[in-house]
């Protein structure tokens, strides 16, 4: 399948989250891109009305690409718990409420799981590169694991303290951040995007 390539020049990171923008800038450092964020340009943040990670990544990337008339990259991510039919999924940020209380969100997952035997879960990341003419290149990455309670570790963010990736016995929040970044859902999605659109 042929993909449209990024031909250099300005690239908008369609996010107002400085942590996410920093991580994406690092990942794109080897390529000829003049990276600026939607936050730096004061671009409006669209409402995430999609029903899938991919729909939300495309909606965010397209909004920035059209507003700035430049190529834009967006991601949408979250935690999908098997026994909860994929919840919190695209609502992962919303489960933490306006105060971003992930302690509460993780306790909610624990209580909704009850005594369910299946503790499997995965982090999912959809990445979209969008052009002002409406063209989108979209890739999805995942990392699978099991949930553990109570929370362990203080290195990560969000749901990291309850997620033990397959093949490990420590949570993402106990893991060295570089190691997590190498194996994360975002790294998996980037490993598909880069050869298709940047290499
Ligand atoms: P987004 O900014 O709409 O993509 O929100 C993603 C939400 O999913 C975040 O607020 C976190 O709650 C959760 N999430 C995504 N990636 C991770 C991760 O690597 N670790 C922990 N939580 C994550």
């Amino acid at each position: 399948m042929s993909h449209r390539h990024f031909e250099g020049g300005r690239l908008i990171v369609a996010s107002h989250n400085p942590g996410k923008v920093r991580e994406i800038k690092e990942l794109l450092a080897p390529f000829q891109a003049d990276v600026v964020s939607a936050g730096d340009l004061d671009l409006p943040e669209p409402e995430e009305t999609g029903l899938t990670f991919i729909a939300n990544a495309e909606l965010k990337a397209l909004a920035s690409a059209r507003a700035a008339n430049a190529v834009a990259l967006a991601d949408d991510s979250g935690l999908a718990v098997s026994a909860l039919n994929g919840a919190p999924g695209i609502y992962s940020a919303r489960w933490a409420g306006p105060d971003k209380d992930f302690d509460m969100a993780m306790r909610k997952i624990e209580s909704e799981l009850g005594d369910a035997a299946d503790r499997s879960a995965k982090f999912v990341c959809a990445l979209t590169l969008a052009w002002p003419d409406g063209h989108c290149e979209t890739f999805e990455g995942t990392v699978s694991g099991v949930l553990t309670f109570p929370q362990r570790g203080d290195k990560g963010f969000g749901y990291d303290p309850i997620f033990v990736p397959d093949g490990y016995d420590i949570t993402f929040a106990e893991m060295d951040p570089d190691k997590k970044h190498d194996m994360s859902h975002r790294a998996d999605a980037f490993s598909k995007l880069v050869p298709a659109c940047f290499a």
Side-chain angles (χ1 to χ4, degrees), residues 162-179:
I162 57 169
F163 184 82
V164 177
D166 285 346
Y168 292 80
D169 54 13
I170 55 173
T171 68
F172 263 173
E174 293 174 305
M175 191 177 273
D176 181 65
D178 285 343
K179 174 112 192 131

Side-chain angles (χ1 to χ4, degrees), residues 16-17 31 47 53 60 66 68 84 103 106 130 134 144-145 183:
H16 290 246
N17 173 340
F31 307 102
E47 241 196 284
F53 292 109
K60 287 189 268 189
R66 288 184 169 134
L84 304 183
D103 228 55
M106 288 185 277
S144 298
M183 64 185 295

Side-chain angles (χ1 to χ4, degrees), residues 17 20 48 60 75-79 89-90 92-94 96 102 123-124 157-161 172 180 184-186:
N17 173 340
K20 203 182 259 188
E48 296 185 18
K60 287 189 268 189
D75 86 339
D76 197 58
S77 55
L79 179 71
I90 56 169
S92 292
R94 270 169 259 184
F102 282 98
F123 278 118
V124 181
F157 70 97
Y159 298 93
D160 282 343
F172 263 173
K180 180 200 160 186
S184 74
H185 45 314
R186 210 161 283 114

Side-chain angles (χ1 to χ4, degrees), residues 61-162:
L62 280 171
S64 282
R66 288 184 169 134
N69 198 29
V71 182
L73 181 67
D75 86 339
D76 197 58
S77 55
L79 179 71
V81 180
S82 310
L84 304 183
N85 297 317
I90 56 169
Y91 304 110
S92 292
R94 270 169 259 184
W95 273 35
D99 296 333
K100 299 195 192 316
D101 184 349
F102 282 98
D103 228 55
M104 173 188 77
M106 288 185 277
R107 277 188 273 109
K108 183 170 174 190
I109 290 178
E110 184 177 17
S111 87
E112 298 222 349
L113 270 177
D115 55 9
D118 182 1
R119 301 268 144 167
S120 65
K122 62 183 176 179
F123 278 118
V124 181
C125 173
L127 261 186
T128 295
L129 194 63
W131 280 259
D133 68 358
H135 183 83
C136 288
E137 293 284 349
T138 300
F139 302 87
E140 200 167 65
T142 58
V143 58
S144 298
V146 291
L147 299 183
T148 185
F149 301 95
Q151 305 169 30
R152 291 182 352 226
D154 55 12
K155 291 199 179 90
F157 70 97
Y159 298 93
D160 282 343
I162 57 169

